[in-house]
Amino acid sequence: YYKKLIVDYLRKWGKGKKKDFMDLLFSKLPDVLDDKQKESKVRNLLSSLKAASVIETDSGNNRRANWILVRKI
C-alpha cells in the first residue's frame, strides 16, 4: 500500500525528495510507531523500491537527490 502511494506520487509529480515522502506517509503510518520508526519505515520503503529497480535517485549526492521513477509496476 505504501509503496503504491510512493509510485503514484512519482507518476503525478515526476520526482520527489525524501521529505516529500515523509510528509505523504507520516499520517498514514500506524500511530503505534514513533517518529524515528516512521522515518526508518519510509527509508526502508524507498530502499526496497530502489532494490527492485522501480525508483532511483537522480544524483550521487543523497542529501540533494530526488527520487525518480525508473519503470512502472
Side-chain angles (χ1 to χ4, degrees), residues 22-56:
M22 296 282 189
D23 294 342
L24 173 71
L25 297 175
F26 252 57
S27 64
K28 292 169 179 49
L29 290 168
D31 291 334
V32 73
L33 301 176
D34 63 29
D35 286 352
K36 192 169 190 167
Q37 290 172 316
K38 288 181 180 185
E39 188 172 334
S40 291
K41 179 72 172 172
V42 172
R43 187 172 50 250
N44 290 340
L45 288 165
L46 291 170
S47 295
S48 173
L49 286 168
K50 183 177 182 181
S53 298
V54 176
I55 64 173
E56 66 182 9

